[in-house]
Amino acid sequence: MTNPGVVYVSCADSAEIHVLHLDADRAKLTPLQIVESGGTVMPMAISPDRHFLYAALRSEPYAVLAFAISPDDGRLAPIGSAPLPASMAYLSTDTSGRWLFAASYPSAMVSLGPIDADGVPQPAVRVLPTGPKAHAVRTSADNHHVYAAVLGADQVLVWCFDAATGALTPADPPAVAVRSGAGPRHPAFHPRLDVLFVLNELDASLDRFDVDRTSGAPVHRQSISALPPGFSGEPWAAELRLTPDGRFLYASERRSSVVAGFAVDTHDGQLAPIGHWATQAQPRGMAVDASGGFLVVAGQLSHRVSLHRIDPASGVLDVVAEHAVGLNPTWVEAIALR
């Protein structure tokens, strides 16, 4: 039997986190729990050891909620919270699980706060200005650098990071530019290569960068569109996710309500399109399960999630199930319990 999987879906307008069991053998989602958040809950992050889930409230008072993940079934138990300095569009932990990063779209900043030994986040100890519309922030796999996608500045900012102290200092160079008007939204690192992918919201393109492991500097290598053939509207890309083996990458596009898929070259990360597939209406959040066999996509307008099976040879998607969740689902995370 496949290891049991759990899917977490934050639902902004109903102020809930829905917890679903993913039965990979039967390709089925089953509800386990609904957690009341007390506010507009949106971005989430899972600790590297999969023991904790963090969720940010984008309604006042701004806060990050912390939950312990049951090792038996994945249910959530609240363990604490901490104030956030602004409405945050993105959360992530460093690879040690000791620091929580957040990016603020309306307040043009990234913040950093410690996480205590019990998994409870503490108030931010660093707040750094970014330029307009910071959308996401992540650390590199080696935990030595931090990257922030800043939509309004058409830049990816880079800092050197000291995980022992939480110190952040601008890298050299401190930023890399993308095309004017592209709107960098979300970054993702390849699990095995020194390659950074950035999804751009405003033109629905993907940029591929080689990353120098010593300096952290990203070097642009490729741009490719995630738009479906014949699309004529205003692009509005949302999320990108890689399979755990790094062989396939998927991006959601909200205007056309599709997921775009790409094969990833295992030597240099070069992207090659493999298809576009219809999914839930206005897809925003999505996640690949830990087995790499399924992509879960949430529709902001349908208030449902689709379960897409990923063909292991081609990366082609096939809808095999769907499930109702709360109102305006915006973020999805998925883990295996063992």
Side-chain angles (χ1 to χ4, degrees), residues 56-76:
L57 300 182
R58 299 195 69 180
S59 54
E60 295 186 16
Y62 306 125
V64 56
L65 312 179
F67 301 90
I69 297 173
S70 168
D72 297 320
D73 60 10
R75 292 174 190 264
L76 300 177

Side-chain angles (χ1 to χ4, degrees), residues 146-148 155-160 169-177 215 217-218:
V146 173
Y147 298 78
Q155 287 184 326
V156 177
L157 303 183
V158 187
W159 292 274
C160 299
T169 55
D172 183 16
V176 61
S215 69

